[in-house]
Amino acid sequence: MTAHADVIDLAQRLIRRPSRAGIDDYGPVLGVLEDWLTGRGLPYRRLHGDTGDTGDTGDTVGLLIEVTGGHPGPWWALDACVDTAPYGDEAAWSFAPDSGEITDGWLRGRGAADSKLAAAMFCGIAAELHERADGLHGGLAVLLDVDEHTGGFGGARAHLADPAAVRPAGVMIGYPGFDEVVVGGRGLWRATIAVHGASGHSGSRRTAPGAVSRAAHLVRLLEEAELPGADGEFPLPPKLTVTFCHGGEGFSAVPGLCEVGVDIRTTPAFDERAAERLVGQAVGALDVRVPAPRPTAIAPVASWPAYRLVEGGQPAAALLDAASREGLALRPKTAGPSNIGNLLAGEGIPATAGFGVRHEGLHGVDERACLKDLPAVRAVYRRALLTLLNAS
């Protein structure tokens, strides 16, 4: 079996082990990976999540492959997730979401694009470099994350927290997309807002507004808030989205509580402090204009900063140069959505994302990945790593 055929076979077997975040047991998909790695003598270990105050280890959140070079030098990391988005409406799919079949040169099934094919490819690269480890400077870590689509990024967090792991000098994340390399992304600030109101019977003579009515007023205040545009240092503007509004039950009761979710994509010029201040001003205006028995409460739930890699810095420079030498013209891109690169940036670790095969249906119906692109994508990552590891 050729190297590419071996990678494709592994990807097919991964797709046929459903690993939807928060739905499926990750044991079967991890078992496929562990059997493959063991069969090729690759050193790996499981990473476990932190259970909190107990200090005990929790569920497995990833596998970490470590290839130690024969000479001193910095370590570099590849990262791909093997948990996936849910299937959605399975009746809308034209093939089984866990088929793993190949049709007209496309690998089909949930995770084909994001990111089981990339995980298999990175395993193949690790196996190749393991055979020539004596000539490498530093080392290569390959993180196979099963806590990415939850938004918890547990594998990446566990890798960074592991005292036995060498902290990488940079990371390349294997999200799909054939024409661009993501070198930055907006950050985010998310909060749940508890909006209170006067509860009671909908048929009573009381006219005090309920929580849902007050929440609707807050949504208008948030969506009418002025945000700055893009600046010269960062190419994208901030963005505010109200993502949920939960409150009330039935028709005869006026609810006393309604929860509103707000997601703000931040930039260096409009960071998490600015986002929290904007929401605080909207909440303050609500409580003044439409008083309630209790003040509105803001509970932040997640935050990480925007980032953009320094031009010419590693590992982006090695990846872009490798693509050029393989005949590909890649564009550096700053992404609107956040990714693990934001988490890593907060730790001072530069990361690229978003270079991989062409794809369709990512997180949607009929997800598939173009296998025609695999040899070129693999060659680019291989060349970039050999440069970074100063292979001899």
Side-chain angles (χ1 to χ4, degrees):
M1 184 180 292
T2 67
H4 290 311
D6 195 24
V7 165
I8 293 169
D9 177 72
L10 175 58
Q12 288 180 287
R13 286 189 281 140
L14 293 174
I15 292 168
R16 290 166 181 158
R17 300 296 188 275
S19 52
R20 294 164 291 178
I23 298 175
D24 296 312
D25 176 13
Y26 300 135
V29 76
L30 290 171
V32 169
L33 288 167
E34 290 176 320
D35 287 346
W36 194 94
L37 296 170
T38 299
R40 287 151 184 80
L42 273 170
Y44 76 90
R45 53 197 168 90
R46 289 194 172 201
L47 297 175
H48 299 276
D50 187 355
T51 59
D53 295 336
T54 65
D56 297 329
T57 56
D59 295 336
T60 299
V61 291
L63 296 182
L64 184 65
I65 306 166
E66 295 172 306
V67 177
T68 304
H71 307 279
W75 278 62
W76 304 89
L78 299 173
D79 173 34
C81 60
V82 291
D83 65 336
T84 73
Y87 294 155
D89 181 5
E90 293 187 48
W93 287 64
S94 65
F95 49 84
D98 61 352
S99 70
E101 65 186 18
I102 298 171
T103 302
D104 298 327
W106 290 79
L107 176 63
R108 310 205 301 185
R110 177 62 84 224
D114 185 13
S115 294
K116 290 182 176 181
L117 180 58
M121 178 184 68
F122 287 165
C123 286
I125 291 174
E128 180 184 351
L129 294 186
H130 180 59
E131 293 180 354
R132 54 185 298 182
D134 288 346
L136 306 180
H137 292 71
L140 169 67
V142 178
L143 172 63
L144 305 171
D145 197 336
V146 290
D147 188 37
E148 196 267 4
H149 281 83
T150 62
F153 299 158
R157 295 180 190 276
H159 181 198
L160 296 179
D162 188 342
V166 179
R167 194 174 183 86
V171 178
M172 292 181 283
I173 304 166
Y175 295 136
F178 195 62
D179 300 320
E180 299 168 332
V181 174
V182 174
V183 295
R186 287 189 292 204
L188 63 78
W189 182 86
R190 291 172 175 163
T192 298
I193 306 172
V195 181
H196 302 278
S199 60
H201 196 289
S202 59
S204 72
R205 294 185 178 183
R206 296 178 60 185
T207 58
V212 170
S213 296
R214 296 189 74 242
H217 193 92
L218 175 62
V219 170
R220 288 194 297 272
L221 289 171
L222 290 170
E223 293 186 340
E224 292 170 357
E226 291 189 11
L227 295 171
D231 59 42
E233 299 297 322
F234 197 83
L236 297 174
K239 181 183 180 183
L240 182 151
T241 306
V242 176
T243 56
F244 64 80
C245 186
H246 300 154
E249 184 175 2
F251 293 93
S252 62
V254 177
L257 173 66
C258 184
E259 291 188 327
V260 175
V262 61
D263 176 292
I264 299 180
R265 299 301 164 133
T266 60
T267 68
F270 189 86
D271 59 12
E272 60 269 19
R273 291 182 296 275
E276 187 168 14
R277 184 165 56 249
L278 181 147
V279 172
Q281 291 170 347
V283 163
L286 172 71
D287 287 349
V288 169
R289 298 179 191 178
V290 191
R294 295 172 60 187
T296 304
I298 304 170
V301 297
S303 175
W304 53 67
Y307 81 102
R308 184 171 173 83
L309 302 186
V310 176
E311 186 173 353
Q314 299 292 14
L319 193 60
L320 290 166
D321 180 69
S324 177
R325 292 177 182 274
E326 293 293 334
L328 301 177
L330 302 186
R331 300 184 300 272
K333 173 187 176 182
T334 299
S338 303
N339 57 64
I340 294 180
N342 294 81
L343 171 68
L344 295 168
E347 296 284 339
I349 299 173
T352 64
F355 174 61
V357 301
R358 285 172 289 177
H359 61 93
E360 294 180 358
L362 188 147
H363 286 203
V365 172
D366 287 354
E367 181 176 344
R368 60 182 191 159
C370 181
L371 294 177
K372 178 182 177 181
D373 300 335
L374 179 61
V377 172
R378 178 172 177 164
V380 168
Y381 277 106
R382 177 184 179 277
R383 182 185 286 271
L385 283 169
L386 292 176
T387 297
L388 293 168
L389 295 167
N390 193 21
S392 60

